[in-house]
Amino acid sequence: QTVVTQEPSFSVSPGGTVTLTCGLTSGSVSTSYYPSWYQQTPGQTPRTLIYDTSTRSSGVPVRFSGSILGNKAALTITGAQADDESNYYCVLYLGSGISVFGTGTNVAV
Amino acid sequence: QVQLVQSGDEVKKPGASVKVSCKASGYTFTKYGISWVRQAPGQGLEWMGRLNINNGNTNYAQKVQGRVTMTRDTSTNTDYMELRSLRSDDTAVYYCARDVGPTYYFDYWGQGTLVTVSS
């Protein structure tokens, strides 16, 4: 079974930059996996940040950006703010109608 | 504005079934699919399956395949997710999310429905 891996946690200083990654236990992530990213604070509904690798969802601040770095999808927060403290999840499309969430990264600011 | 409104919280006994609804408004219902996502207490998000607008099929995660059925009623703009043979580890908040093809991401989310499985 395919597992999508993310770093368990990151700590970033206010105003700092952090890059979260989203990888596969076997194989490389490419744009063909249509990586998307979601932010969730405890007790809240997930919020869509990035889709199709690098497209920001409506209303998402420009400090959030998506890319492919090496063999993984990446979410970069440039100029982190206190309210960016959340859990972040990636989703990869595996084909044949199947998607899978990553394990999630907790970001402390 | 796009809204997905889910049915209320449920308490079920092990072995029972639950059917959660997700009523859509504010967009052309038949142009979008729906995915169902769940989150067990203190755990991460888990994709369960989708009603795939790209091919008209339903696609289910291996973990729930055989126990889950996702259906749609276009007369009421409502999607449904039924999970059978409930176990304690099915206790979770269940979300519906509008599914955007062909890039397979979720742009709007329901408010969540807590399903508690307990004897």
Side-chain angles (χ1 to χ4, degrees), chain A:
Chain A
Q1 187 169 351
T2 301
V3 176
V4 178
T5 58
Q6 298 183 243
E7 298 86 359
S9 62
F10 264 119
S11 182
V12 59
S13 300
T17 296
V18 62
T19 296
L20 317 181
T21 68
C22 174
L24 289 167
T25 49
S26 56
S28 298
V29 177
S30 68
T31 56
S32 300
Y33 286 85
Y34 302 111
S36 54
W37 292 87
Y38 305 86
Q39 177 191 49
Q40 187 188 34
T41 52
Q44 300 297 312
T45 299
R47 172 195 182 194
T48 306
L49 294 177
I50 300 285
Y51 62 93
D52 198 10
T53 305
S54 59
T55 304
R56 267 185 302 276
S57 191
S58 177
V60 172
V62 296
R63 65 179 182 275
F64 292 95
S65 62
S67 63
I68 298 291
L69 284 181
N71 61 351
K72 297 182 180 182
L75 174 72
T76 299
I77 309 173
T78 304
Q81 299 184 2
D83 61 0
D84 296 336
E85 187 158 296
S86 289
N87 294 306
Y88 292 84
Y89 296 92
C90 66
V91 171
L92 299 181
Y93 177 68
L94 302 186
S96 301
I98 302 298
S99 292
V100 62
F101 275 90
T103 49
T105 298
N106 178 264
V107 173
V109 180

Side-chain angles (χ1 to χ4, degrees), chain B residues 26-91:
Chain B
Y27 66 97
T28 303
F29 184 64
T30 52
K31 289 191 174 181
Y32 292 85
I34 205 83
S35 269
W36 290 88
V37 175
R38 69 180 179 179
Q39 186 169 37
Q43 302 300 308
L45 298 168
E46 178 186 13
W47 182 82
M48 298 178 66
R50 64 170 33 97
L51 196 148
N52 192 332
I53 205 67
N54 296 319
N55 59 21
N57 295 334
T58 47
N59 305 115
Y60 301 132
Q62 189 175 3
K63 187 174 180 181
V64 294
Q65 177 87 39
R67 293 199 298 134
V68 69
T69 302
M70 297 174 186
T71 56
R72 166 168 284 197
D73 183 345
T74 55
S75 70
T76 59
N77 285 6
T78 303
D79 284 295
Y80 297 92
M81 186 282 300
E82 182 180 31
L83 189 62
R84 301 176 293 278
S85 302
L86 289 168
R87 312 185 287 244
S88 58
D89 63 354
D90 292 317
T91 294

